Coordinates of all heavy atoms in Angstrom, one line a residue:
M1 N -2.4 -9.4 23.0 CA -2.3 -8.6 21.8 C -2.3 -7.2 22.1 O -3.1 -6.8 23.0 CB -3.5 -9.0 20.8 CG -3.4 -8.4 19.5 SD -4.9 -8.6 18.5 CE -4.5 -10.2 17.8
S2 N -1.5 -6.5 21.4 CA -1.4 -5.0 21.7 C -2.6 -4.3 21.0 O -3.2 -4.8 20.0 CB -0.1 -4.5 21.1 OG 0.0 -4.6 19.8
K3 N -2.9 -3.1 21.4 CA -4.0 -2.3 20.9 C -3.6 -1.9 19.4 O -2.4 -1.6 19.1 CB -4.0 -1.0 21.8 CG -5.0 0.0 21.4 CD -5.1 1.2 22.2 CE -5.8 2.2 21.6 NZ -5.7 3.5 22.3
D4 N -4.6 -2.0 18.6 CA -4.5 -1.7 17.2 C -4.3 0.0 17.1 O -5.2 0.6 17.6 CB -5.6 -2.1 16.4 CG -5.3 -2.2 14.8 OD1 -4.1 -2.1 14.6 OD2 -6.2 -2.5 14.0
E5 N -3.3 0.4 16.5 CA -3.1 1.8 16.5 C -2.8 2.3 15.0 O -2.5 1.5 14.1 CB -1.8 2.2 17.3 CG -0.5 1.4 16.8 CD 0.7 1.7 17.8 OE1 0.5 2.5 18.8 OE2 1.6 1.0 17.6
Y6 N -3.1 3.5 14.9 CA -2.7 4.0 13.5 C -1.3 4.5 13.3 O -0.6 4.8 14.3 CB -3.5 5.4 13.2 CG -5.0 5.1 13.0 CD1 -5.9 5.4 14.0 CD2 -5.4 4.6 11.8 CE1 -7.3 5.1 13.9 CE2 -6.8 4.4 11.7 CZ -7.7 4.6 12.6 OH -9.1 4.3 12.4
I7 N -0.7 4.1 12.2 CA 0.7 4.5 11.8 C 0.8 5.3 10.7 O -0.1 5.1 9.7 CB 1.5 3.1 11.8 CG1 0.9 2.2 10.7 CG2 1.6 2.4 13.1 CD1 1.8 0.9 10.5
D8 N 1.7 6.1 10.5 CA 2.0 7.0 9.3 C 2.8 6.4 8.3 O 3.4 5.3 8.4 CB 2.4 8.3 9.8 CG 3.7 8.3 10.4 OD1 4.6 7.4 10.4 OD2 4.1 9.4 11.1
S9 N 3.0 7.1 7.2 CA 3.8 6.7 6.1 C 5.2 6.4 6.5 O 5.8 5.3 6.0 CB 3.9 7.7 5.1 OG 2.6 7.9 4.4
A10 N 5.8 7.1 7.3 CA 7.2 6.9 7.9 C 7.3 5.6 8.6 O 8.2 4.8 8.3 CB 7.7 7.9 8.8
E11 N 6.2 5.2 9.4 CA 6.2 3.9 10.1 C 6.0 2.8 9.1 O 6.7 1.7 9.4 CB 5.2 4.0 11.2 CG 5.6 5.0 12.4 CD 4.5 5.2 13.3 OE1 3.5 5.9 12.9 OE2 4.5 4.8 14.5
V12 N 5.2 3.0 8.2 CA 4.9 1.9 7.2 C 6.1 1.6 6.4 O 6.6 0.5 6.2 CB 3.7 2.3 6.2 CG1 3.6 1.3 5.2 CG2 2.4 2.3 7.0
A13 N 6.8 2.7 5.9 CA 8.1 2.6 5.1 C 9.1 1.7 6.0 O 9.8 0.9 5.4 CB 8.5 3.9 4.8
E14 N 9.2 2.1 7.3 CA 10.2 1.6 8.1 C 9.8 0.0 8.2 O 10.8 -0.8 8.1 CB 10.2 2.1 9.5 CG 11.3 1.6 10.4 CD 11.4 2.4 11.7 OE1 11.0 3.6 11.8 OE2 11.8 1.7 12.7
L15 N 8.6 -0.4 8.4 CA 8.2 -1.8 8.5 C 8.6 -2.5 7.3 O 9.0 -3.7 7.3 CB 6.7 -2.0 8.8 CG 6.3 -1.5 10.1 CD1 4.7 -1.5 10.1 CD2 6.8 -2.6 11.1
L16 N 8.5 -1.9 6.1 CA 8.8 -2.4 4.7 C 10.3 -2.3 4.3 O 10.8 -3.0 3.4 CB 8.0 -1.8 3.7 CG 6.5 -1.7 3.8 CD1 5.9 -1.0 2.7 CD2 6.0 -3.1 3.8
G17 N 11.0 -1.6 5.2 CA 12.5 -1.6 4.8 C 12.8 -0.5 3.7 O 13.7 -0.8 2.9
I18 N 11.9 0.3 3.5 CA 12.0 1.3 2.4 C 12.0 2.8 2.9 O 11.6 2.9 4.0 CB 11.0 1.2 1.3 CG1 9.6 1.3 1.8 CG2 11.2 -0.4 0.7 CD1 8.5 1.2 0.7
T19 N 12.2 3.8 2.1 CA 12.1 5.1 2.5 C 10.7 5.6 2.4 O 10.0 5.0 1.5 CB 13.1 6.0 1.6 OG1 12.6 6.0 0.3 CG2 14.5 5.5 1.6
P20 N 10.4 6.6 3.1 CA 9.0 7.2 2.9 C 8.8 7.6 1.5 O 7.7 7.5 1.0 CB 9.1 8.3 3.9 CG 10.0 8.0 5.0 CD 11.1 7.2 4.2
Q21 N 9.7 8.1 0.9 CA 9.6 8.6 -0.6 C 9.3 7.3 -1.4 O 8.5 7.5 -2.4 CB 10.9 9.3 -1.1 CG 11.0 9.6 -2.4 CD 9.9 10.6 -2.9 OE1 9.4 11.5 -2.0 NE2 9.4 10.5 -4.1
A22 N 9.9 6.2 -1.2 CA 9.6 5.0 -2.0 C 8.1 4.7 -1.8 O 7.6 4.1 -2.8 CB 10.6 3.9 -1.7
L23 N 7.8 4.7 -0.6 CA 6.4 4.4 -0.3 C 5.4 5.3 -1.1 O 4.4 4.9 -1.6 CB 6.0 4.5 1.2 CG 4.7 4.2 1.6 CD1 4.3 2.7 1.3 CD2 4.5 4.4 3.1
R24 N 5.8 6.6 -1.0 CA 4.9 7.5 -1.8 C 4.8 7.3 -3.3 O 3.8 7.3 -3.9 CB 5.4 9.0 -1.6 CG 4.9 9.6 -0.2 CD 5.2 11.1 -0.1 NE 6.7 11.5 -0.1 CZ 7.6 11.3 1.0 NH1 7.0 11.0 2.1 NH2 8.8 11.7 0.9
V25 N 6.1 6.8 -3.9 CA 6.1 6.5 -5.2 C 5.2 5.3 -5.5 O 4.5 5.3 -6.6 CB 7.6 6.3 -5.7 CG1 7.7 5.6 -7.1 CG2 8.3 7.6 -5.7
K26 N 5.4 4.3 -4.7 CA 4.6 3.0 -4.9 C 3.0 3.3 -4.8 O 2.4 3.0 -5.6 CB 4.9 2.0 -3.8 CG 6.2 1.4 -3.8 CD 6.4 0.4 -2.8 CE 5.6 -0.9 -2.8 NZ 5.8 -1.8 -4.0
R27 N 2.7 4.2 -3.9 CA 1.3 4.6 -3.8 C 0.9 5.5 -5.1 O -0.3 5.2 -5.6 CB 1.0 5.4 -2.7 CG 1.0 4.6 -1.3 CD 0.5 5.4 -0.1 NE -0.9 5.6 -0.2 CZ -1.5 6.8 0.0 NH1 -0.8 7.8 0.5 NH2 -2.8 6.9 -0.2
A28 N 1.6 6.4 -5.6 CA 1.3 7.1 -6.8 C 1.2 6.3 -7.9 O 0.3 6.5 -8.8 CB 2.4 8.2 -7.0
R29 N 2.1 5.2 -8.1 CA 2.1 4.3 -9.2 C 0.8 3.5 -9.2 O 0.2 3.3 -10.2 CB 3.2 3.5 -9.3 CG 4.6 4.1 -9.7 CD 5.7 3.2 -9.7 NE 6.9 3.9 -10.1 CZ 8.2 3.6 -10.1 NH1 8.4 2.4 -9.4 NH2 9.1 4.3 -10.4
T30 N 0.4 3.1 -8.1 CA -0.9 2.2 -7.9 C -2.0 3.1 -8.3 O -2.8 2.7 -9.1 CB -0.9 1.8 -6.5 OG1 0.1 0.8 -6.1 CG2 -2.3 1.1 -6.3
K31 N -2.1 4.4 -7.8 CA -3.2 5.3 -8.1 C -3.3 5.6 -9.7 O -4.4 5.5 -10.2 CB -3.1 6.6 -7.4 CG -3.4 6.4 -5.9 CD -3.3 7.8 -5.3 CE -3.6 7.7 -3.8 NZ -3.5 9.1 -3.1
S32 N -2.1 5.8 -10.3 CA -2.0 6.0 -11.7 C -2.5 4.7 -12.6 O -3.4 4.8 -13.4 CB -0.7 6.4 -12.2 OG -0.3 7.5 -11.6
R33 N -2.1 3.6 -12.1 CA -2.6 2.3 -12.8 C -4.0 2.1 -12.7 O -4.7 1.8 -13.7 CB -1.6 1.1 -12.2 CG -2.1 -0.1 -12.9 CD -1.4 -1.4 -12.3 NE -1.6 -1.5 -10.8 CZ -2.8 -2.0 -10.3 NH1 -3.8 -2.2 -11.0 NH2 -2.9 -1.9 -9.0
I34 N -4.6 2.2 -11.5 CA -6.0 2.0 -11.3 C -6.8 3.0 -12.0 O -7.8 2.6 -12.7 CB -6.2 2.1 -9.7 CG1 -5.7 0.9 -9.0 CG2 -7.8 2.2 -9.5 CD1 -5.8 0.8 -7.6
E35 N -6.3 4.3 -12.1 CA -7.1 5.3 -12.9 C -7.0 4.9 -14.3 O -8.0 5.0 -15.0 CB -6.4 6.6 -12.6 CG -7.3 7.7 -13.4 CD -8.7 8.0 -12.9 OE1 -9.0 7.6 -11.7 OE2 -9.5 8.5 -13.7
A36 N -5.9 4.6 -14.9 CA -5.7 4.2 -16.3 C -6.7 3.0 -16.6 O -7.4 2.9 -17.6 CB -4.3 3.8 -16.6
E37 N -6.8 2.0 -15.7 CA -7.6 0.8 -15.9 C -9.1 1.3 -15.9 O -9.9 0.8 -16.8 CB -7.4 -0.2 -14.8 CG -6.1 -0.9 -14.9 CD -5.7 -1.9 -13.8 OE1 -6.8 -2.2 -13.0 OE2 -4.8 -2.5 -13.8
R38 N -9.5 2.2 -15.0 CA -10.8 2.7 -15.0 C -11.2 3.4 -16.3 O -12.3 3.2 -16.8 CB -11.1 3.4 -13.8 CG -11.1 2.7 -12.5 CD -11.4 3.5 -11.2 NE -11.5 2.6 -10.1 CZ -11.2 3.1 -8.9 NH1 -10.9 4.3 -8.6 NH2 -11.2 2.2 -7.9
L39 N -10.2 4.1 -16.8 CA -10.5 4.9 -18.0 C -10.6 4.0 -19.2 O -11.3 4.3 -20.2 CB -9.4 5.9 -18.2 CG -9.4 7.2 -17.2 CD1 -8.1 8.0 -17.5 CD2 -10.6 8.0 -17.5
A40 N -10.0 2.9 -19.1 CA -10.1 1.9 -20.1 C -11.3 0.9 -19.9 O -11.4 -0.1 -20.7 CB -8.7 1.0 -20.2
G41 N -12.1 1.3 -19.0 CA -13.3 0.4 -18.8 C -13.0 -0.9 -17.9 O -13.8 -1.7 -17.9
K42 N -12.0 -0.9 -17.3 CA -11.6 -2.2 -16.4 C -11.9 -1.7 -15.0 O -12.1 -0.6 -14.7 CB -10.1 -2.5 -16.6 CG -9.9 -2.9 -18.0 CD -8.4 -3.3 -18.1 CE -8.0 -3.7 -19.5 NZ -6.6 -4.1 -19.7
P43 N -12.0 -2.7 -14.1 CA -12.4 -2.4 -12.8 C -11.4 -1.6 -11.9 O -11.8 -1.0 -11.0 CB -12.6 -3.8 -12.1 CG -12.0 -4.9 -13.1 CD -11.9 -4.2 -14.4
G44 N -10.1 -1.6 -12.2 CA -9.2 -0.9 -11.5 C -9.0 -1.4 -10.0 O -9.4 -0.5 -9.1
T45 N -8.7 -2.5 -9.9 CA -8.4 -3.1 -8.4 C -7.1 -3.3 -8.0 O -6.1 -3.3 -8.7 CB -9.1 -4.5 -8.4 OG1 -8.5 -5.3 -9.4 CG2 -10.6 -4.4 -8.7
L46 N -7.0 -3.2 -6.7 CA -5.6 -3.3 -6.1 C -5.2 -4.8 -6.3 O -6.0 -5.7 -6.3 CB -5.7 -3.1 -4.5 CG -5.9 -1.7 -4.0 CD1 -6.1 -1.6 -2.6 CD2 -4.6 -0.9 -4.4
T47 N -3.9 -5.0 -6.5 CA -3.3 -6.2 -6.4 C -2.6 -6.6 -5.1 O -2.5 -5.6 -4.3 CB -2.2 -6.4 -7.5 OG1 -1.1 -5.5 -7.2 CG2 -2.8 -6.0 -9.0
L48 N -2.2 -7.7 -4.9 CA -1.4 -8.1 -3.6 C -0.3 -7.2 -3.3 O 0.1 -7.0 -2.2 CB -1.1 -9.5 -3.5 CG -2.4 -10.4 -3.2 CD1 -1.9 -11.9 -3.4 CD2 -3.2 -10.3 -2.1
S49 N 0.5 -6.9 -4.4 CA 1.7 -6.1 -4.2 C 1.5 -4.6 -4.1 O 2.3 -3.8 -3.7 CB 2.7 -6.3 -5.5 OG 2.0 -5.9 -6.6
D50 N 0.3 -4.1 -4.4 CA 0.0 -2.7 -4.2 C -0.2 -2.4 -2.6 O -0.8 -3.1 -1.8 CB -1.4 -2.3 -4.9 CG -1.3 -2.4 -6.3 OD1 -0.2 -2.2 -6.9 OD2 -2.3 -2.6 -7.0
V51 N 0.3 -1.2 -2.3 CA 0.1 -0.7 -0.8 C -1.4 -0.6 -0.7 O -1.9 0.1 -1.5 CB 0.8 0.6 -0.7 CG1 0.7 1.2 0.7 CG2 2.3 0.4 -1.0
P52 N -2.0 -1.1 0.4 CA -3.4 -0.7 0.6 C -3.7 0.6 0.9 O -2.8 1.5 1.3 CB -3.6 -1.6 1.9 CG -2.4 -1.9 2.5 CD -1.4 -1.7 1.4
D53 N -4.9 1.1 0.5 CA -5.4 2.4 0.7 C -5.3 2.6 2.3 O -5.6 1.7 3.1 CB -6.9 2.5 0.4 CG -6.9 2.6 -1.3 OD1 -6.0 2.8 -1.9 OD2 -8.2 2.1 -1.6
P54 N -5.1 4.0 2.6 CA -5.0 4.2 4.2 C -6.4 4.0 4.7 O -7.4 4.0 4.1 CB -4.7 5.7 4.2 CG -4.4 6.0 2.7 CD -4.7 5.0 1.7
D55 N -6.5 3.7 6.0 CA -7.8 3.5 6.7 C -8.4 4.8 6.9 O -9.6 4.9 6.9 CB -7.4 2.8 8.0 CG -7.1 1.4 7.9 OD1 -7.9 0.5 7.3 OD2 -6.0 1.1 8.2
I56 N -7.5 5.9 7.2 CA -8.1 7.3 7.3 C -7.0 8.2 6.7 O -5.8 8.0 6.6 CB -8.4 7.6 8.8 CG1 -7.3 7.7 9.7 CG2 -9.6 6.9 9.3 CD1 -7.5 8.3 11.1
D57 N -7.4 9.5 6.5 CA -6.5 10.5 6.1 C -6.6 11.6 7.2 O -7.9 12.0 7.5 CB -6.8 11.1 4.8 CG -6.4 10.2 3.7 OD1 -5.2 9.9 3.6 OD2 -7.4 9.9 2.8
K58 N -5.6 12.1 7.9 CA -5.7 13.1 8.8 C -4.9 14.3 8.1 O -3.7 14.3 8.0 CB -4.9 12.7 10.1 CG -5.1 13.7 11.2 CD -4.4 13.1 12.5 CE -4.7 14.1 13.6 NZ -4.2 13.6 14.8
G59 N -5.9 15.3 7.7 CA -5.2 16.2 6.9 C -4.7 15.7 5.5 O -5.6 15.0 4.9
R60 N -3.5 15.9 5.3 CA -2.9 15.4 4.0 C -2.1 14.2 4.4 O -1.4 13.6 3.4 CB -2.0 16.4 3.4 CG -2.8 17.6 2.9 CD -1.8 18.6 2.2 NE -1.2 18.0 1.2 CZ -0.1 18.7 0.6 NH1 0.4 19.8 1.0 NH2 0.5 18.0 -0.4
S61 N -2.1 13.6 5.6 CA -1.4 12.5 6.0 C -2.2 11.1 6.0 O -3.2 11.1 6.7 CB -0.9 12.7 7.4 OG 0.0 13.8 7.4
P62 N -1.8 10.2 5.2 CA -2.5 8.9 5.2 C -2.0 8.2 6.5 O -1.0 8.2 6.9 CB -2.0 8.3 3.9 CG -0.7 8.8 3.7 CD -0.7 10.3 4.2
L63 N -3.1 7.5 7.1 CA -2.7 6.7 8.3 C -3.4 5.3 8.0 O -4.5 5.2 7.5 CB -3.4 7.3 9.4 CG -2.9 8.7 9.9 CD1 -3.7 9.2 11.1 CD2 -1.4 8.6 10.2
W64 N -2.7 4.3 8.5 CA -3.1 2.9 8.3 C -3.2 2.2 9.7 O -2.4 2.6 10.6 CB -2.0 2.0 7.6 CG -2.0 2.4 6.0 CD1 -2.7 1.7 5.1 CD2 -1.1 3.5 5.5 NE1 -2.3 2.3 3.8 CE2 -1.4 3.3 4.1 CE3 -0.3 4.4 6.0 CZ2 -0.7 4.2 3.2 CZ3 0.4 5.2 5.0 CH2 0.2 5.0 3.8
L65 N -4.2 1.4 9.9 CA -4.2 0.6 11.2 C -3.0 -0.3 11.0 O -2.8 -0.9 10.0 CB -5.5 -0.2 11.3 CG -6.6 0.7 11.9 CD1 -8.0 -0.1 11.7 CD2 -6.5 1.2 13.3
R66 N -2.3 -0.6 12.2 CA -1.2 -1.5 12.2 C -1.6 -2.8 11.7 O -1.0 -3.6 10.9 CB -0.6 -1.6 13.6 CG 0.6 -2.6 13.8 CD 1.7 -2.1 13.0 NE 2.7 -3.0 13.1 CZ 3.9 -3.0 13.8 NH1 4.2 -1.7 14.3 NH2 4.8 -3.8 13.7
S67 N -2.8 -3.3 12.0 CA -3.3 -4.5 11.6 C -3.6 -4.6 9.9 O -3.4 -5.7 9.4 CB -4.7 -4.9 12.2 OG -5.6 -3.9 12.0
T68 N -3.9 -3.5 9.4 CA -4.0 -3.4 8.0 C -2.6 -3.8 7.2 O -2.6 -4.6 6.4 CB -4.6 -2.1 7.5 OG1 -5.7 -1.8 8.1 CG2 -4.6 -2.0 6.0
I69 N -1.7 -3.1 7.7 CA -0.3 -3.2 7.2 C 0.2 -4.7 7.6 O 0.7 -5.3 6.7 CB 0.7 -2.2 7.7 CG1 0.1 -0.8 7.2 CG2 2.1 -2.5 7.2 CD1 0.0 -0.7 5.7
D70 N 0.0 -5.2 8.7 CA 0.4 -6.5 9.1 C -0.3 -7.6 8.2 O 0.4 -8.5 7.7 CB 0.1 -6.8 10.6 CG 1.0 -6.1 11.6 OD1 2.1 -5.6 11.1 OD2 0.6 -5.9 12.7
R71 N -1.5 -7.4 8.0 CA -2.2 -8.4 7.1 C -1.7 -8.4 5.7 O -1.5 -9.4 5.0 CB -3.7 -8.1 7.1 CG -4.5 -8.7 8.2 CD -6.0 -8.7 8.0 NE -6.5 -7.4 7.7 CZ -6.9 -6.4 8.5 NH1 -6.7 -6.5 9.8 NH2 -7.3 -5.3 8.1
W72 N -1.5 -7.1 5.2 CA -0.9 -7.0 3.8 C 0.4 -7.6 3.7 O 0.8 -8.3 2.7 CB -1.0 -5.4 3.4 CG -0.2 -5.2 2.1 CD1 -0.6 -5.7 0.8 CD2 1.0 -4.4 1.9 NE1 0.3 -5.3 -0.1 CE2 1.2 -4.4 0.7 CE3 1.7 -3.6 2.7 CZ2 2.4 -3.7 0.1 CZ3 2.8 -2.9 2.2 CH2 3.0 -3.1 0.9
V73 N 1.4 -7.3 4.7 CA 2.7 -7.8 4.6 C 2.7 -9.4 4.5 O 3.5 -10.0 4.0 CB 3.5 -7.3 5.8 CG1 4.8 -8.1 5.9 CG2 3.8 -5.8 5.6
A74 N 1.8 -10.0 5.3 CA 1.7 -11.4 5.4 C 1.3 -12.1 4.1 O 1.7 -13.3 3.8 CB 0.7 -11.8 6.4
V75 N 0.6 -11.4 3.2 CA 0.2 -12.0 1.9 C 0.7 -11.4 0.7 O 0.6 -11.9 -0.5 CB -1.4 -11.9 1.7 CG1 -2.1 -12.5 2.9 CG2 -1.8 -10.4 1.6
R76 N 1.5 -10.4 0.8 CA 2.0 -9.7 -0.4 C 3.2 -10.6 -1.0 O 3.9 -11.3 -0.2 CB 2.6 -8.3 -0.1 CG 3.9 -8.2 0.5 CD 4.2 -6.6 0.9 NE 5.1 -6.0 0.1 CZ 6.2 -5.7 0.5 NH1 6.7 -5.8 1.8 NH2 7.2 -5.1 -0.3
P77 N 3.4 -10.6 -2.3 CA 4.5 -11.3 -2.9 C 5.8 -10.9 -2.4 O 6.0 -9.8 -1.8 CB 4.4 -11.1 -4.4 CG 3.0 -10.4 -4.6 CD 2.7 -9.8 -3.3
D78 N 6.9 -11.7 -2.6 CA 8.2 -11.5 -2.3 C 8.6 -10.1 -2.8 O 8.4 -9.8 -3.9 CB 9.1 -12.5 -2.8 CG 10.6 -12.3 -2.5 OD1 11.0 -11.2 -1.9 OD2 11.4 -13.1 -2.9
P79 N 8.9 -9.1 -2.0 CA 9.1 -7.7 -2.5 C 10.3 -7.6 -3.4 O 10.5 -6.7 -4.1 CB 9.4 -6.8 -1.2 CG 9.8 -7.9 -0.1 CD 9.0 -9.1 -0.6
G80 N 11.2 -8.6 -3.6 CA 12.3 -8.6 -4.4 C 12.0 -9.1 -5.8 O 12.8 -9.0 -6.7
R81 N 10.8 -9.7 -5.9 CA 10.3 -10.2 -7.2 C 9.2 -9.5 -7.8 O 8.3 -9.1 -7.1 CB 10.0 -11.7 -7.1 CG 11.0 -12.6 -7.1 CD 10.5 -14.1 -7.4 NE 9.1 -14.2 -7.0 CZ 8.6 -15.1 -6.0 NH1 9.5 -15.9 -5.4 NH2 7.4 -15.2 -5.8
R82 N 9.3 -9.2 -9.0 CA 8.1 -8.5 -9.7 C 7.1 -9.6 -10.0 O 7.4 -10.7 -10.5 CB 8.5 -7.9 -11.0 CG 7.5 -7.3 -11.7 CD 8.0 -6.4 -12.9 NE 7.7 -5.1 -12.4 CZ 8.0 -4.0 -13.1 NH1 8.7 -4.1 -14.2 NH2 7.6 -2.8 -12.7
N83 N 5.8 -9.3 -9.8 CA 4.8 -10.2 -10.0 C 4.4 -10.2 -11.5 O 3.9 -9.2 -11.9 CB 3.5 -9.8 -9.1 CG 2.5 -10.8 -9.3 OD1 2.5 -11.7 -10.0 ND2 1.3 -10.6 -8.6
T84 N 4.6 -11.2 -12.3 CA 4.5 -11.2 -13.6 C 3.2 -12.0 -14.1 O 2.9 -12.2 -15.1 CB 5.6 -11.7 -14.4 OG1 6.0 -13.0 -13.9 CG2 6.9 -10.8 -14.3
Q85 N 2.5 -12.4 -13.0 CA 1.4 -13.3 -13.4 C 0.3 -12.5 -14.0 O 0.1 -11.2 -13.7 CB 0.8 -13.8 -12.0 CG -0.2 -14.9 -12.1 CD -0.4 -15.5 -10.8 OE1 -0.3 -14.9 -9.7 NE2 -0.9 -16.7 -10.8
N86 N -0.5 -13.0 -14.9 CA -1.6 -12.3 -15.6 C -1.0 -11.1 -16.4 O -1.8 -10.3 -16.7 CB -2.6 -11.7 -14.6 CG -3.2 -12.7 -13.9 OD1 -3.5 -14.0 -14.3 ND2 -3.6 -12.5 -12.5
R87 N 0.2 -11.2 -17.0 CA 0.7 -10.2 -18.0 C 0.8 -10.9 -19.3 O 1.0 -12.0 -19.5 CB 2.0 -9.7 -17.4 CG 1.8 -8.8 -16.2 CD 3.0 -8.1 -15.9 NE 2.6 -7.3 -14.7 CZ 3.5 -6.3 -14.4 NH1 4.6 -6.1 -14.8 NH2 3.1 -5.7 -13.3

């Protein structure tokens, strides 16, 4: 097994087959949804389709352990389908 390393937004986006801008948009939407849920008195939790929080921030750059992204990719819903469960 290779050493677990930190990867940046560009590398995460490449693994997902999206642009870094699309990844930033997904993260911003997740943060907005969670904040709105918290303001409404709900727990504001991540769903399987949400990009996980970074493991660390280096300055203004989020970094994830490769294993964090690998685990998320393994369980996230088909990226081509919108998750309509619980709506």
Side-chain angles (χ1 to χ4, degrees):
M1 184 186 275
S2 67
K3 181 181 162 192
D4 204 6
E5 60 188 351
Y6 286 104
I7 56 176
D8 63 16
S9 294
E11 293 169 290
V12 172
E14 185 176 332
L15 286 171
L16 299 176
I18 61 176
T19 65
Q21 176 63 28
L23 181 65
R24 283 190 293 276
V25 168
K26 287 177 72 60
R27 289 192 65 226
R29 286 180 180 163
T30 296
K31 287 179 181 182
S32 293
R33 180 185 52 76
I34 288 173
E35 182 62 24
E37 288 177 6
R38 287 182 179 153
L39 289 172
K42 297 179 182 176
T45 56
L46 290 172
T47 67
L48 288 178
S49 60
D50 293 332
V51 178
D53 289 334
D55 291 295
I56 63 169
D57 288 302
K58 188 173 185 178
R60 294 183 58 200
S61 300
L63 298 172
W64 293 263
L65 285 168
R66 175 69 184 245
S67 60
T68 298
I69 298 302
D70 289 344
R71 280 191 307 274
W72 172 61
V73 167
V75 299
R76 76 188 256 246
D78 178 356
R81 276 197 336 243
R82 176 169 249 179
N83 184 0
T84 57
Q85 196 172 24
N86 298 327
R87 288 188 180 189

